[in-house]
Amino acid sequence: MTAQLYHSSQSETEPGYGQLVQVLVRRLPWFVGAVVSTVGVAAIATHYQSPTYRSTLQLLVEPNVRTELDLNPEQTGQPPSFSEVELDYVTQLNLMRSQQFIEQAIALMQQQGSDICAGWETASDCLEAIQTDLTLAQVVEDKTETRIFEAVFTGESPEQTQQFLTALQQVYLDYNLQAQEQRVEEGLTLVNQQLAEIRQRLGGSQQALEDFRQGENVIDPEQQALAVTEALNTLIQTQQAVQADTEAVEAQYAAIQESLSVDPVTARAASQLSQSSRYQQLLNALQETELNLAERLAVYTEADPKAEALAAQREQQLALLREEMRRVIGDTALASQAEDALLQEGQLSEIDLALVSEMVATEAELRSLQARQQSLANTEQTLQAELNRYPDLIADYDRLQPEVETQRTSLEQLLQMRQQLSNELAQGGFKWAVVEAPRLGQKISPEPKRNLLMGGVVGLFLGGVLAFSRELIDTVVHTSDELKQQAALPLLGVLPEVPTGAVQRPTVLPFWRGISHPPVPAIVQWLPFRESVDLIYKNLQLSADKLTSVMVTSALPNEGKTTFSLALALSAARLHQRVLLIDADLRNPSLHHQVGIANQGGLSTYLAGDPSIEPVCLSLGGTMLEMLPGGPIPDDPVQLLSSKAMKTLLTRCEADYDLVVVDAAAVLGLVDALQVASLCQSVVMVSRLDKVTQADLTQATAALARVNPLGIVANGYRGDIKRYGAAAAAAKPPVWADVN
């Protein structure tokens, strides 16, 4: 986890533009070669290119008449009228580009003694070539399209380009004049046809309207419908008033009935009888006889002769009274119904007679109102039936009447248009006028500067394509991020790239076991390199529970593993660790060259059976560490590295020292590194950027996967590593660079 955190803070910052620049720098030969090649091709093509000349013709294309007649009013729904002309530039351009004009111009040139098609095998080939060399476009000024069209013709002769455009100009003007005359004739013909059609449609529309009015007996159904509607509304208001009056009279009639002491039938009859004097006299006589009879019967019995005479008199009076009642009332049924009540009740009082009179009057008024309601209801039905037939009539009328008006208006306006159009025979259509006549063609090609510039632009593009194409097929690892992705190991840190300069090799001293004072290599004393190694060592300590031995290797030779081994040992020694540095690359030992000591005896002689070999104690830059060089190159390094003595040596050294750093051979192609790695606690692999390939990393990491690899170190990092404090400004690159 610590290594990953380190990578986040120290990994290369490669934004999009920076990465592109790095790719271009790496592939600079490809890029420069493409640019030089394209510029050279452009220069050669320019040298052998035939000269080309160009001549121009400008025509003003605008409406000859500012207004245009609308001859199809039935399509637009509007009457015929003049409207502003909209110039169709696309149609005009297509017309001017048509093949017939070019053929006419060629024929005109041949008549004038100049054959532009001379040298062509067929006329179609010549025509196709002229169409390719002729360009027609609309002139644009200040981002606004003008009414000026420009014809541009290119050819191999300045005179020929001018002659062709002059002939084309004459063809355009002749066609324009003929088109104007033809348009006026066609316009008059069309107007006359439209007049006949409109007259015929107008007669049919008028006859249909007349038949409609006669058949339906209406003049204007809409106005008549409004009149019926108003009458119906008035009738409804009258019905509402009559209804209110009827309800009031009914209430009054009911109140009178409640006030009377007799029923209405008796009351009406009594009212009539009260106005008959004879009936009143008979009634009074009857009442007097009944009174006398009652007094007689109170003394005597019914068998009394006088009582019997009074009874007979009473019956006779009753018969006369009934006869008079029927005569006065005139309704036998009503008289029979009211007879007993009248005889029992006697004569009505004046109040009752007044109420009866009022009731009779109220009843008559009520019957009058009810009759009026019925009459109004019948009238409403009649008006409603009349109104219901008007919607269909109005729809038919609205269809017929506007058609008549439209046709009549169209006829009047079309007659005016025909008169006006006939007065403008010299006008119509579009007018093509020459703005700028053709001149002698001007030379337009070749243009050396433009061609070379275009060659340079194409070269830049092609160079970029080649550079990035080469980058895509390149398998070499160039950045620390690529290294981390391909190695599938934690990135422990990066070692800065050191510019190569003058090589200052240390002096080789005789091999001895005492303390020596050889010069420290400049690269491990360089502050940025030393601080990077210190940070890597701290990451190693945090990655392992207890770091006692670490083997340093690489996928390929010359990736900087030896220099890193020495720097790692010095970094641990500066942190007060007792460190032993062992050169286990028995095929190519080089640590002794780094520190400037002899190599007569070392690891190979010790493993071969010489127990007197001991590590050399070194003081490098004020730091003490012990080192065991590789010794003479043996015949069979693998036999020595896999011996029991090697295992015993590492076990004893891990017990005697705080850290044992072993510089081993490269991983690929040899078993030496794997053998040593199996005896060490952990492994660190150094990879040089811009050298190791993705395949090498994959093979190396796969080989080391079973021997506890702690991570990988990126060597040759070209980015800026941020430093802290004034020491960063004082850091200068060393004068000696490691080659292993």
Side-chain angles (χ1 to χ4, degrees):
M1 182 180 296
T2 305
Q4 294 176 351
L5 292 174
Y6 172 79
H7 174 260
S8 299
S9 60
Q10 290 282 355
S11 62
E12 298 176 67
T13 302
E14 294 183 282
Y17 293 111
Q19 187 176 9
L20 295 178
V21 172
Q22 290 181 4
V23 171
L24 293 177
V25 171
R26 283 198 297 268
R27 309 301 175 189
L28 189 61
W30 294 77
F31 186 76
V32 174
V35 174
V36 172
S37 299
T38 53
V39 172
V41 171
I44 296 173
T46 301
H47 178 71
Y48 290 100
Q49 185 178 359
S50 300
T52 304
Y53 298 88
R54 178 178 63 190
S55 181
T56 59
L57 165 67
Q58 289 188 350
L59 295 174
L60 176 63
V61 180
E62 62 180 353
N64 193 30
V65 181
R66 298 300 297 173
T67 56
E68 184 180 55
L69 182 61
D70 181 8
L71 299 176
N72 296 296
E74 67 278 358
Q75 296 181 3
T76 60
Q78 300 294 331
S81 62
F82 284 117
S83 60
E84 191 71 17
V85 172
E86 294 184 1
L87 184 57
D88 188 356
Y89 294 107
V90 177
T91 302
Q92 294 296 309
L93 283 174
N94 292 333
L95 178 62
M96 296 174 71
R97 292 193 186 105
S98 62
Q99 181 177 341
Q100 61 174 345
F101 290 151
I102 299 177
E103 292 176 347
Q104 293 175 11
I106 294 174
L108 183 60
M109 288 183 65
Q110 292 175 349
Q111 294 175 4
Q112 295 173 356
S114 177
D115 189 2
I116 194 174
C117 290
W120 291 94
E121 295 182 358
T122 61
S124 60
D125 294 340
C126 175
L127 180 62
E128 184 178 354
I130 292 177
Q131 288 178 330
T132 303
D133 296 335
L134 178 63
T135 303
L136 284 167
Q138 189 174 358
V139 178
V140 179
E141 293 183 359
D142 298 331
K143 300 181 179 181
T144 303
E145 294 180 344
T146 65
R147 296 185 176 184
I148 298 177
F149 288 178
E150 185 178 55
V152 180
F153 182 68
T154 58
E156 298 179 356
S157 170
E159 295 81 6
Q160 195 175 64
T161 56
Q162 181 186 23
Q163 292 173 1
F164 175 77
L165 288 183
T166 302
L168 187 63
Q169 168 188 322
Q170 186 62 39
V171 170
Y172 284 157
L173 296 179
D174 293 343
Y175 169 79
N176 183 245
L177 181 59
Q178 296 174 2
Q180 290 180 6
E181 295 176 354
Q182 182 179 2
R183 180 180 183 277
V184 171
E185 294 177 359
E186 292 178 353
L188 287 175
T189 302
L190 184 59
V191 168
N192 292 331
Q193 293 176 356
Q194 292 291 328
L195 280 172
E197 293 177 2
I198 291 178
R199 285 193 180 101
Q200 183 178 1
R201 289 199 297 266
L202 178 59
S205 299
Q206 289 176 338
Q207 184 62 41
L209 182 60
E210 183 178 357
D211 294 342
F212 169 76
R213 285 174 171 171
Q214 291 178 356
E216 300 296 340
N217 194 22
V218 293
I219 301 300
D220 189 345
E222 185 174 356
Q223 296 295 330
Q224 292 176 340
L226 292 176
V228 173
T229 303
E230 292 178 359
L232 185 60
N233 293 334
T234 303
L235 178 63
I236 293 174
Q237 294 176 358
T238 303
Q239 283 180 322
Q240 294 174 352
V242 171
Q243 179 65 28
D245 293 342
T246 301
E247 293 175 355
V249 172
E250 288 177 349
Q252 182 180 1
Y253 183 75
I256 293 173
Q257 286 182 341
E258 292 179 359
S259 300
L260 286 174
S261 58
V262 295
D263 59 275
V265 176
T266 304
R268 284 195 296 271
S271 175
Q272 295 176 358
L273 296 176
S274 297
Q275 299 176 6
S276 176
S277 59
R278 186 172 182 275
Y279 177 81
Q280 292 298 325
Q281 292 175 359
L282 292 174
L283 181 60
N284 292 331
L286 176 62
Q287 291 175 353
E288 184 178 356
T289 301
E290 288 180 346
L291 179 61
N292 294 330
L293 179 60
E295 292 177 353
R296 190 68 180 177
L297 290 175
V299 179
Y300 303 96
T301 62
E302 293 180 358
D304 180 60
K306 192 175 182 177
E308 290 178 355
L310 289 173
Q313 184 181 355
R314 176 177 174 276
E315 291 298 330
Q316 185 180 7
Q317 289 175 344
L318 282 174
L320 293 175
L321 187 62
R322 290 189 181 97
E323 182 180 355
E324 181 65 20
M325 183 185 300
R326 292 188 183 95
R327 185 189 67 80
V328 173
I329 295 177
D331 187 353
T332 305
L334 178 61
S336 299
Q337 181 180 359
E339 180 179 354
D340 296 337
L342 290 173
L343 294 176
Q344 293 176 3
E345 294 293 335
Q347 191 177 8
L348 294 177
S349 63
E350 293 181 359
I351 296 176
D352 290 338
L353 288 175
L355 288 175
V356 170
S357 299
E358 185 178 357
M359 182 185 69
V360 172
T362 303
E363 183 177 4
E365 183 180 0
L366 181 60
R367 289 178 180 176
S368 175
L369 290 175
Q370 289 176 348
R372 189 177 181 187
Q373 278 186 327
Q374 184 62 36
S375 176
L376 291 175
N378 294 336
T379 305
E380 180 186 7
Q381 291 179 357
T382 303
L383 291 177
Q384 188 64 46
E386 180 71 14
L387 185 62
N388 289 339
R389 61 188 291 265
Y390 277 110
D392 294 336
L393 297 178
I394 292 174
D396 294 338
Y397 183 80
D398 290 342
R399 176 177 56 82
L400 296 174
Q401 177 64 20
E403 185 175 355
V404 172
E405 295 296 333
T406 300
Q407 300 299 336
R408 184 181 293 112
T409 303
S410 299
L411 179 61
E412 295 174 356
Q413 293 181 353
L414 194 57
L415 291 172
Q416 296 176 1
M417 294 304 119
R418 185 178 64 173
Q419 181 64 31
Q420 183 177 355
L421 187 61
S422 63
N423 296 331
E424 298 177 356
L425 293 175
Q427 299 181 2
F430 299 98
K431 181 180 180 181
W432 295 356
V434 177
V435 176
E436 181 180 341
R439 299 179 182 179
L440 285 175
Q442 297 181 351
K443 185 178 180 180
I444 59 173
S445 66
E447 297 183 13
K449 293 183 179 180
R450 187 191 66 178
N451 293 345
L452 293 178
L453 180 60
M454 291 297 297
V457 172
V458 174
L460 292 175
F461 175 76
L462 182 60
V465 172
L466 291 176
F468 285 103
S469 299
R470 179 64 182 86
E471 184 70 17
L472 290 176
I473 63 176
D474 187 13
T475 60
V476 177
V477 178
H478 298 286
T479 65
S480 59
D481 289 337
E482 295 178 7
L483 180 66
K484 180 181 178 182
Q485 294 175 0
Q486 296 298 326
L489 291 174
L491 183 62
L492 298 173
V494 295
L495 298 177
E497 175 70 10
V498 180
T500 58
V503 178
Q504 183 177 353
R505 297 280 183 180
T507 304
V508 178
L509 300 179
F511 181 80
W512 65 300
R513 304 180 190 278
I515 299 178
S516 62
H517 300 280
V520 180
I523 188 172
V524 299
Q525 288 182 316
W526 185 37
L527 183 59
F529 187 88
R530 187 179 66 189
E531 290 183 348
S532 297
V533 176
D534 291 344
L535 189 55
I536 293 173
Y537 173 60
K538 179 54 65 177
N539 282 330
L540 287 173
Q541 287 182 315
L542 297 175
S543 299
D545 295 337
K546 183 179 181 182
L547 187 65
T548 57
S549 62
V550 58
M551 184 195 79
V552 180
T553 185
S554 61
L556 301 171
N558 301 323
E559 292 196 62
K561 62 178 181 60
T562 301
T563 302
F564 176 71
S565 300
L566 176 59
L568 182 62
L570 289 175
S571 177
R574 285 198 308 273
L575 296 179
H576 311 290
Q577 300 289 310
R578 187 181 180 192
V579 182
L580 173 63
L581 177 61
I582 300 177
D583 189 353
D585 188 359
L586 300 183
R587 298 179 187 271
N588 184 25
S590 58
L591 266 176
H592 60 283
H593 294 300
Q594 297 276 3
V595 298
I597 63 175
N599 194 35
Q600 287 82 3
L603 179 62
S604 61
T605 55
Y606 177 83
L607 296 178
D610 186 359
S612 62
I613 300 300
E614 294 184 0
V616 179
C617 185
L618 302 175
S619 176
L620 301 175
T623 303
M624 299 297 296
L625 64 88
E626 297 183 34
M627 172 185 166
L628 181 62
I633 300 176
D635 296 334
D636 190 358
V638 177
Q639 182 182 11
L640 297 179
L641 294 175
S642 61
S643 63
K644 185 176 181 181
M646 181 64 182
K647 181 177 181 180
T648 303
L649 174 63
L650 287 177
T651 303
R652 181 168 57 86
C653 291
E654 288 178 353
D656 295 341
Y657 295 91
D658 296 326
L659 177 64
V660 179
V661 180
V662 181
D663 178 24
V667 176
L668 299 181
L670 299 173
V671 74
D672 300 21
L674 293 178
Q675 179 60 41
V676 176
S678 64
L679 303 177
C680 295
Q681 179 193 14
S682 56
V683 178
V684 174
M685 187 169 71
V686 178
S687 294
R688 179 173 291 278
L689 303 178
D690 297 326
K691 178 180 180 181
V692 66
T693 64
Q694 300 174 3
D696 296 336
L697 282 175
T698 302
Q699 296 178 16
T701 53
L704 296 175
R706 292 173 292 179
V707 291
N708 191 27
L710 292 182
I712 192 169
V713 175
N715 190 15
Y717 172 62
R718 291 186 175 87
D720 294 333
I721 300 179
K722 298 185 182 299
R723 315 234 67 84
Y724 180 79
K732 297 180 180 179
V735 297
W736 180 79
D738 183 26
V739 295
N740 193 29

